[in-house]
Every structure is written in structure tokens, then in C-alpha cells.
Amino acid sequence: MARIAVIGAGMGAMAAAARLAVAGHRVTVYEQTETYGGAVRRVERDGFAFDTGPGLLPLPAVYRDLFVKTGKETLEDVVELVQVDPAARHVFADGTEVSLPNASRAGVVAALDEALGAGAGQRWGDFLVRARETWDRTRRPLLEEPLWPDWRVLAEREPYPAVPHKRLLRTRRARTLREIGSWELRDERLAALLETQVLAYGLDPRTVPASAAVLPYMEHAFGTWYVRGGMRELARAVYERCVRRKVEFVFGAEVIRIPQKDGRAAGVELADGTAAGADHVVADVDPVRLRALTDRPLDEEGDVRADTVSPPFARFTVLLALRGEREAGAAHRTVVHAPDFESELDLLVAPGGERPGRPTVTVLRPDDPALRPDGAHESAVLSAVMSAEAGWEDEAVVRHCADLLLEAAGSAVPGLRERLLWHEVRTPAHTQAETGARHGAVPAPALAAGGGRFLHPANITRLPGLYRVGGWSHPGGGLPHAGMSGALVAGLIVEGPEFRGSQ
């Protein structure tokens, strides 16, 4: 039985802790805040409750596997999973609207043909076929296996089977997501549908490799799910599974150093001066902070480096308390697309001193009694991806951005202004305070190609006994990826560096 210290109580860290405890190890989790879940948080006020992190769950099989491997109760025994249908309602800049059914290729094709014109659905359906091929080629190395020692193979090879595009006597193939939308989908609204699905992860479709096609494919193939009571219930269930497996949690415990002995990680040192020894240390922190804790480089020269991971994007969120009941047939999720998508992207990359035009806004309206005081009220969450460096300390900037989101939400919530009791704003600074991530940035999933810029640092580090877990490590951000990182780290500790992932 080994002593294992886990830094952070995010979803990846807790997934690793539960698996390691079941394997017979003594696991202690040190969390600098007073609760678990990382970015999966909840705000409660006046009888209203809101998810402030992820609002939906793709690929629930990752957490089903966690519960099967760590106890007798299944995931469905401890939370109620609800498949969201339609998966989303989209409101495009030209006023066109379409509701896309959940996990139904034929239904999506028919809906797009009806809303956007004959042929649009078929083009999207053909794209999904190519995206599935990309998923089949990258699923194991990017989700189910530790990062290959020869990760450059993933970095240099584009797995997306792009369609040849002839232009000016030249044949080209899409290398970026933007080129897929322009050359293969050939409709500004289909392109917006594609691009906003990767923008939600803080990725710029103009520079992200075509392999990012796996992200919309995952949602299409495995469906979109909601956890009744809010996504915080998933974090609670994982935490309680850890506790039942005898994982010890120490909250309000800021780790300031990872001591070393005989060239190995030897435990953790806390801000209050206490220290705890360990045979292995698992860190769910961003790469810059992890380097500071060890005071040494953690990757071989030329390996995936911390400064290649994640652009400086973050989520800006507005929580709405509404009077009046939710109208019949309201969509759980509505995406209100930006009127000028190109300008939106330019401002995300280089916001400068200019206030942004209206961004793409996601409106979540769960039909969930647990999130409202009674049937005569409704809670809703508005969010948009914005620059993490947009001057969030300026109250005028925050107020202006909140107004932009409220303006967009009028397309999703009838009579919004008249129904609004109050709203509460959460900037990237709130995310930074809760997760420790610089600028409140949210890590994106790992992607193939792109020269390795979209891969994340490996779970194993150069310091023996120290492992990375969570969204800032392989296989990257997002609830499924964080959960899988926990499985990879547990496998590497239990089986050793020869571990090659689940079969």
C-alpha cells in the first residue's frame, strides 16, 4: 500500500483518487479552497441555483466506467442522467433558426435541410462521417492511452480525411476547421454551427487543426446529457464515491511545495508549515504553478511544454433569476450566434482597449425544479467565450459585456427584460479564484496535428513519483477528458510506466 498525495480536488483528481483507493492505496487530497469539484461549482441565492462551470455532460461513459470500477453502485444509481432533446436550438445572425435533435444523424440532416435549404443537411451529414473517421483514428491515443513518447507522430499527422478542393488549378485540402467550413460545408450558417462548437472550448477555428472535427462528432455520436439537480450533483457523486473508498480530504490546504528525496517527489508542504510524506504525488494544477511547486523543469527538452497549451480564452457568465414559469417546449440550450463572427474572433485574440461586439452566447434553461424556488420562477445561465485578458477589473467592461449577453438572450427567453428579477455576473477572475488557473482560462481537449500546439503535457513528469492529472494535462480539458486523465494516472501508478490504457 503506497501513500498518495493528490493536489487539488477537481474532477480528474477525484477520479484518480477513487481508482487508487480501490487499488489499495492510502490517498489524501489537499484542496486549497473549501470544497471539491474544481470548476464544477454551484451558486445559490434566494432559492435559485446555478451551475457556474460545465452545464452539460458529453460522453457519460467515462463516468459510468469510473463508478463501475470503484464500487457496486452505478452512475445512474447515484445521479439522474437526462438526455437533452433537442441537443440545441441555434439562432443564426440572419435570423434563421434550427433545433437539432440529440444523437440522430437522420434527424439532424432533415432539420438542417428544412431550415437552411436542400443539401445543407447532407453536407453536414457527410462532414460527420469524416469526423467519425477522425475520431476512430485518434480516440485511443488522445483519450484512452498515456501520451506517446513519440508524440510528434500525433503532432505532425492530420487525421481528418479532407475532401479535395480545386481552386485556380490547384488542389487543396482543409488543414484548419475554418477551411472545413468554407470548402466542405459551403454555407455560412453551417460554418458558424461548426466553428462555435470548438470556440466553446476556447479554440480559434482559424488556427485549430481540422482534427478538431472530433469535438462536434463526440456530441453528435454520444449525445448531450444533463444531470438532474445540476452538474454539481456529478461532482458530489464522485466526491462521495471517494469518501466511501476511504479517500481523505483536507480542505483549506494550500500546497506551496513538493519536497524531493533521493530524486523523487516525496510529499507535499502546506502554507501553514505542515508537511506530509508520500510515495507518489498527483497534481491537478496548471503547468506554470506545478513548475513553481517543484522549482524545476518537468519535461524533456523539446517535449510538449506548458506554454503551448491553451490560448488565453475564458468564460464570462451571467446568472439569471426570472419570474414566471418556463414556457412549454423551451429548449434546454440555445446558441445565439454572433452577428459578426470574424470580428468576434479578432477581439478574442487581441481585445486591446476596444469593447467587444456581441459574442456568440449560449443560454442554458434547465427544466429542473431543484434550480428554482417554485414553479412560478426560472433560473438560467448565459455564457460566452471571451479573452481572459479583457480588463475584467474594469467595472465598465464587465457591465458592458453583461449587457451584450442579456441582449442576445432575448432571442432565447421570451420577455426576458420584463421577467428579470436580478442577475449576477461571474468573470474569469471568479474562475481563477476557484480553480487557481491563470486568468481563469479553461483548458481545451487535446487534439492531433497542429505541430503539437494542441497537445497537453504528459501525465508522467521528469520528476519520478510526480504525476499530472486534470484538464491541464493529457488528454486535456472537458469533463470526459478530465475523468479519463484520472484513469490514466491511476493506471500508471498501479501498473507502472508500461501501462497502455484500457482495452
Side-chain angles (χ1 to χ4, degrees), residues 53-54 200-202 313-317 383-386 426-428 431 440 442:
Y201 291 96
F313 293 172
R315 290 193 185 96
F316 178 82
T317 303
S383 63
V385 176
M386 294 186 174
R426 291 178 59 82
T427 73
T431 304
V442 178

Side-chain angles (χ1 to χ4, degrees), residues 20-43:
L20 288 166
V22 166
H25 298 298
R26 192 172 72 197
V27 184
T28 304
V29 177
Y30 299 91
E31 167 58 45
Q32 67 178 351
T33 70
E34 297 299 329
T35 190
Y36 54 83
V40 185
R41 300 289 180 113
R42 172 182 290 164
V43 166

Side-chain angles (χ1 to χ4, degrees), residues 290-340:
L290 185 57
R291 279 204 301 261
L293 294 178
T294 59
D295 194 28
R296 63 179 289 177
L298 296 173
D299 295 287
E300 298 290 348
E301 187 65 30
D303 274 3
V304 179
R305 305 303 296 266
D307 56 4
T308 68
V309 179
S310 293
F313 293 172
R315 290 193 185 96
F316 178 82
T317 303
V318 181
L319 315 178
L320 305 183
L322 303 172
R323 62 171 63 88
E325 64 180 346
R326 182 178 185 269
E327 73 274 13
H332 186 121
R333 173 174 58 171
T334 299
V335 180
V336 184
H337 292 261
D340 186 345

Side-chain angles (χ1 to χ4, degrees), residues 58 142-143 197-198 200-203 208-209 211-212 214-215 218 309-311 315 442-448 453-456 470-482:
L142 285 183
L143 195 63
Q197 292 201 39
V198 302
Y201 291 96
L203 296 168
V208 74
S211 66
V214 299
L215 300 179
M218 284 174 58
V309 179
S310 293
R315 290 193 185 96
V442 178
L447 298 171
R453 292 184 299 117
F454 300 92
L455 296 174
H456 291 252
W472 295 103
S473 64
H474 180 75
L479 281 172
H481 296 73

Side-chain angles (χ1 to χ4, degrees), residues 385-404:
V385 176
M386 294 186 174
S387 170
E389 302 171 341
W392 297 114
E393 69 283 351
D394 186 333
E395 291 185 6
V397 170
V398 173
R399 190 164 51 249
H400 176 69
C401 290
D403 287 341
L404 291 175

Side-chain angles (χ1 to χ4, degrees), residues 419-435:
R419 295 183 58 197
L420 185 61
L421 287 170
W422 51 260
H423 70 275
E424 184 172 319
V425 173
R426 291 178 59 82
T427 73
H430 292 94
T431 304
Q432 178 172 327
E434 292 175 351
T435 67

